[in-house]
Amino acid sequence: MPMATSTVNSIAVLTGAGISAESGVPTFRGKDGLWRNYRAEDLATPGAFRRDPRLVWEWYDWRRGLIGACEPNAAHHTLAEMESHFDEFSLITQNVDGLHNLAGSRAVLELHGNIWGLRCTAGCRPTWEDRTVPLATIPPRCPSCGALARPDVVWFGESLPSGVLDAAFSAARTCEVMLVIGTSALVNPAASLPLVALQRGAYVVEFNPQPTPLSDLADEIVRQPAAEALPGWWHAWQSEG
Ligand code: OAD
């Protein structure tokens, strides 16, 4: 356990696909992970979209259908509850599923965008949200100028939104405790956030049923599924005052 909750002002949380696994959202690298059955370079790169926007959109439409049927789980709800207990609470996620928002978390730093968002490839207007499943037309078009629309997510080879990334690194540098939940800790720059927190002396807890490159460095490891473990862990930490 970290120092008593009453003495902690600043906490950061980094989540990955594993936090949504118990909600039914597929992870990327596990046994049934998306990258076992699909090649990322065929579906999640700007080149793939240029080559075949319909194929890319069909894949996103399928994922939107899967995610749309999922509910936040006890781990998402616990994080939403934790937020009000600390002066500074930064929830940084690599997930595009929007389940943290649905659970009631405010101000989520979505490093890789959101699968419900769309963006005009001609850049004529701000991004917009469309939760229609299945989409009315594939590929969808910009309602303002008619250009192709793309998912408002970050693909391999693209930069992360700079404001969000800056806020995430700032939280990693200043937090006293960081929880790292359900990420393989392999994809940068997200994977370097816990390393920054450790360098700055934060107490880092990993929640993951499997070992990761972070496991040897973390101060505490909880080797259980997040929705099972996090509510009890939070309760135990709170009872320590
Ligand atoms: P991964 O699929 O790489 O890793 C999921 C992690 O969750 C693994 O370490 C699992 O052991 C763990 N896990 C599985 N079930 C869990 C559970 N119930 N509770 C806790 N942990 C569990 O997913 P990410 O680390 O999120 O990027 O992947 C990072 C990025 O790579 C994604 O955002 C995506 C992907 O390619 C882009 O699309 C840009």
Side-chain angles (χ1 to χ4, degrees):
M1 279 291 144
M3 55 293 229
T5 45
S6 53
T7 66
V8 173
N9 291 315
S10 170
I11 176 160
V13 181
L14 172 66
T15 66
I19 196 170
S20 298
E22 288 151 275
S23 293
V25 181
T27 61
F28 292 93
R29 294 178 182 77
K31 184 164 56 68
D32 302 314
L34 291 174
W35 297 151
R36 286 283 167 114
N37 300 311
Y38 302 94
R39 281 159 35 105
E41 53 273 38
D42 291 342
L43 295 163
T45 64
F49 189 70
R50 269 194 306 274
R51 274 193 302 279
D52 197 343
R54 172 178 294 276
L55 175 73
V56 171
W57 265 116
E58 278 167 356
W59 189 64
Y60 276 93
D61 195 45
W62 170 73
R63 284 179 62 202
R64 285 162 55 102
L66 277 180
I67 290 170
C70 295
E71 303 277 344
N73 65 48
H76 299 105
H77 287 300
T78 300
L79 293 178
E81 194 216 309
M82 283 175 78
E83 190 167 355
S84 56
H85 287 73
F86 299 95
D87 292 342
E88 285 170 40
F89 184 91
S90 301
L91 177 48
I92 308 158
T93 189
Q94 298 165 85
N95 299 345
V96 297
D97 57 32
L99 291 182
H100 286 303
N101 296 316
L102 274 188
S105 285
R106 298 181 299 272
V108 183
L109 296 169
E110 292 180 315
L111 289 176
H112 294 164
N114 190 299
I115 203 162
W116 302 111
L118 277 79
R119 203 152 86 208
C120 172
T121 52
C124 81
R125 54 178 272 163
T127 60
W128 69 98
E129 189 182 289
D130 181 349
R131 288 186 166 258
T132 319
V133 173
L135 281 157
T137 53
I138 294 183
R141 300 258 158 202
C142 170
S144 303
C145 75
L148 261 182
R150 59 161 284 175
D152 188 27
V153 299
V154 176
W155 284 326
F156 289 101
E158 292 186 317
S159 311
L160 275 62
S162 60
V164 176
L165 192 61
D166 290 349
F169 272 99
S170 164
R173 279 193 297 270
T174 53
C175 67
E176 295 157 273
V177 175
M178 180 182 271
L179 312 184
V180 182
I181 308 174
T183 176
S184 56
L186 291 170
V187 177
N188 273 316
S192 60
L193 292 165
L195 306 180
V196 169
L198 282 165
Q199 269 165 8
R200 294 292 183 124
Y203 183 95
V204 173
V205 190
E206 176 179 70
F207 293 81
N208 197 315
Q210 303 294 329
T212 75
L214 180 65
S215 302
D216 285 342
L217 306 168
D219 295 288
E220 183 180 338
I221 299 173
V222 181
R223 281 263 173 272
Q224 285 171 54
E228 251 174 56
L230 191 63
W233 184 91
W234 167 232
H235 187 69
W237 187 21
Q238 268 186 304
S239 6
E240 295 206 346

